[in-house]
Amino acid sequence: MKYRWLHLSDLHSYCDPIKTKIMRDALIDEINELNKEQPFSFILITGDISDQNRGYDKARELIWEIMSITGLSSKCVFIVPGNHDLDRKKPKGRKQIVEKLWETNILNDIEEEAIQQLMFGQYDFYEAYESILQRRYPIDKVHFIMNFDNNINIIHLNTSWMCYDSIIETGKIHIGLNKVYSCLEMLNDEAINIAIGHHRISDFNKVVGNSLKSIFKSKKVDLYLGGHCHKAFTTYDINADTEFCFCKQTRAEDYNYPAGFVVGNIDIDNNQNYFVFYNWSVRDSIWKYDYSVESAKHGKYYLQGKKFNNCKVRSRDIIIDFKLLGMPLDFTSIKQKFKLKNTLDYRLGYRDIDPKDHEDWYRYLKDLLNFYNSIIEEAPDDIKIHIFPLAPIPLLVALGYLMQNNNSNINIYQYDENNGMWVFNEKDDKITIKDKFISRDSDKLVFSLNVSACIKTEDIDCVINDRYDLLSIGVENPTLSYLNYNADVLRVKKIVKEKLDSIAYKYNEIHLFLAAPAGLCIEIGRIIRKNIYPNTFIYNYCNADIPRYTKIYNLKEIKQI
């Protein structure tokens, strides 16, 4: 059983000044890239597709464009109304009707009449729903279920029929508990049951909210997805055995409430059931993982419900996709090849990066630091961490430096570009390593590692203007895609560590010039001891620039970025 969905909320489609236009164009591109990586099965939109009921043409255009790039038909798109998708002047006397209903904990006998009266204000939404999806909204049912297939039920909850004034109605509104209960009576509790609505549980009056959670428990509702609050968060209610997930808005003008969306994934057989939260960075004009969701490590939250948790989260090994060049890692293929099961899978969240200046480097370093803090540093000591790296050398060294050399449960794989495959310890090429040390009685040490290419002394001299000592270590004939296997990597690491450890204390500065495969660059970062080594600088190479090397950062300062 394998499904992937896109969760959007609060389109407020008639609010589209320039920042929002830029964001929505980038949203289409991002959804397109995500769909290429792994196609979406369906789309969920949890209300406020209009803004103050001012029209739905722009919502239709946006939704149709998303359907087009994902290749999904209207049968795979599910929408519920929000509090902005109603005419607040209908019916006449709406304010008085709503405020009287607020005084009642549970509607009971007056429920039917009240709902039918107030739903009249949503008729513009119902017409737009039919125009967008080419099917009628079943008005007579209030809440209804659509079967995506035999394994997935999408429960449509109309949480907005009572709305009148969002400023004062929080904690007061009703959903119509009898209608919800009768809607769910025939629910197949063996399937994955996903409820979508606009409001949070806390937006209902307390009795209604608690009763709704009881209904979710009794009817085996696994997920409840919504929006409304323009903030992203997720939580698991252990008593209801229901996951609650709320999505940010799809406009970008309000700095305090940035845009966002959620990708949901269900893969029962491989124990990959999660939400991934995305956030729009107005400053950088890019989509990034949303680090603001407290319960989601680096923007990713693994579901905890009984149907989704065949193995305790904290007992599962971790796979890290640190492939920042080219397409992201294919988790399925590497798991099959290296026999990795029941893993937590994380990625840094960038594709094919090309840092242009120090601002770019520091943005990536800041995100790397967040990634390390939330995923690697918090990992239990007894689990294995499998890292698949392909990234610019300064970021590889930074990751190694953050990890240090004190965790024997870290496995670092390498990408053999000549053969187009990931490798680890399949063989030992027993590559011969040579080293050379030149002393000029300097307090600066340059360390050059010559494996993928030969580092020229004249290129070093262009950026190190003072006198320096030189430690050079490498192979006989450096070339790309060389020294791939773990035994060779660890052999080089051992030699470098012994040489540097023996002389590092003599210097005020160490300057790293590395031409080596990704896994080895991480290992070099791991041996730079935080409390022993002096200021250590890493350089980036670009053949198109003169000088060819650029100093990027001091390893000892990256935690302060």
Side-chain angles (χ1 to χ4, degrees), residues 435 445 447 471 473 494-504 533:
D435 65 88
L445 174 68
F447 169 60
L471 173 63
I473 293 178
K494 184 174 184 293
I495 293 170
V496 173
K497 184 176 184 303
E498 288 175 351
K499 296 289 184 181
L500 283 180
D501 281 354
S502 68
I503 61 175
Y533 278 57

Side-chain angles (χ1 to χ4, degrees), residues 9 36 42 73 112 190 238 275 391 393 471 505 560:
S9 194
K36 287 178 182 177
F42 51 88
S73 70
E112 184 72 33
E190 296 300 317
I238 191 170
F275 304 130
I393 285 174
L471 173 63
Y505 70 92
Q560 283 72 54

Side-chain angles (χ1 to χ4, degrees), residues 237-303:
D237 189 303
I238 191 170
N239 293 319
D241 190 25
T242 304
E243 304 275 2
F244 293 85
C245 175
F246 296 87
C247 185
K248 288 182 175 178
Q249 63 178 337
T250 317
R251 58 180 175 179
E253 302 305 314
D254 191 337
Y255 179 80
N256 295 314
Y257 295 99
F261 65 92
V262 182
V263 171
N265 194 79
I266 290 175
D267 184 354
I268 299 294
D269 296 336
N270 294 302
N271 220 11
Q272 292 298 312
N273 309 295
Y274 52 76
F275 304 130
V276 179
F277 294 85
Y278 289 81
N279 181 72
W280 173 249
S281 171
V282 174
R283 187 192 68 179
D284 300 325
S285 293
I286 57 173
W287 285 99
K288 303 169 65 174
Y289 288 158
D290 190 346
Y291 311 145
S292 68
V293 185
E294 291 185 6
S295 54
K297 290 185 176 182
H298 197 68
K300 191 171 190 177
Y301 171 85
Y302 275 89
L303 305 183

Side-chain angles (χ1 to χ4, degrees), residues 352-406:
D352 218 13
I353 70 171
D354 183 20
K356 300 295 185 184
D357 51 32
H358 275 82
E359 187 176 347
D360 282 351
W361 283 109
Y362 275 70
R363 180 173 73 245
Y364 295 133
L365 283 167
K366 187 175 181 180
D367 288 347
L368 173 59
L369 182 61
N370 174 284
F371 186 87
Y372 169 78
N373 290 339
S374 61
I375 305 298
I376 299 175
E377 190 172 47
E378 290 190 7
D381 294 335
D382 59 341
I383 69 155
K384 287 191 178 299
I385 298 175
H386 305 271
I387 302 175
F388 292 80
L390 193 61
I393 285 174
L395 297 179
L396 296 165
V397 177
L399 176 59
Y401 180 77
L402 290 169
M403 292 191 298
Q404 291 289 281
N405 203 34
N406 52 11

Side-chain angles (χ1 to χ4, degrees), residues 2-28:
K2 194 172 184 178
Y3 301 90
R4 191 172 191 239
W5 68 86
L6 173 67
H7 175 196
L8 299 169
S9 194
D10 296 74
L11 305 186
H12 293 281
S13 56
Y14 268 74
C15 297
D16 59 352
I18 187 61
K19 289 181 181 179
T20 293
K21 287 178 179 176
I22 293 170
M23 178 275 294
R24 287 181 182 157
D25 284 346
L27 174 66
I28 296 300

